[in-house]
Amino acid sequence: LWSNGMKLVFIGRTDIAVSELMQYYNSLEERIRSGIVFLTNISNEDIIAFYKNASIAVYPSIAEGFGIPPLE
């Protein structure tokens, strides 16, 4: 979807090693990497704004266990 001007936004800190993700990200062409954003330490108000304005929201979590935050 990056070619249609959509961005992939990762919000939050990493709790486990994500070396494979970063290796893949670093292997991408700059024009593709420019459509991927990593955000940490953002306010709850900003997170709510991202959810409200997102075309889709995905909660991929291996470290969270049951995944209570999406339920909240």
Side-chain angles (χ1 to χ4, degrees):
L1 298 175
W2 63 269
S3 63
N4 292 324
M6 298 185 88
K7 301 235 182 227
L8 175 60
V9 181
F10 290 92
I11 298 176
R13 62 186 170 84
T14 56
D15 288 334
I16 58 175
V18 289
S19 60
E20 293 90 356
L21 171 62
M22 295 315 296
Q23 287 174 357
Y24 181 73
Y25 172 79
N26 290 327
S27 73
L28 297 172
E29 298 175 27
E30 176 56 35
R31 63 188 176 97
I32 298 172
R33 279 196 317 262
S34 67
I36 302 171
V37 179
F38 294 91
L39 300 175
T40 58
N41 299 321
I42 65 172
S43 70
N44 286 338
E45 293 81 16
D46 286 341
I47 291 173
I48 291 168
F50 272 103
Y51 282 140
K52 286 183 177 180
N53 293 293
S55 297
I56 187 170
V58 178
Y59 192 83
S61 177
I62 295 173
E64 188 61 45
F66 179 66
I68 294 203
L71 296 176
E72 294 175 347

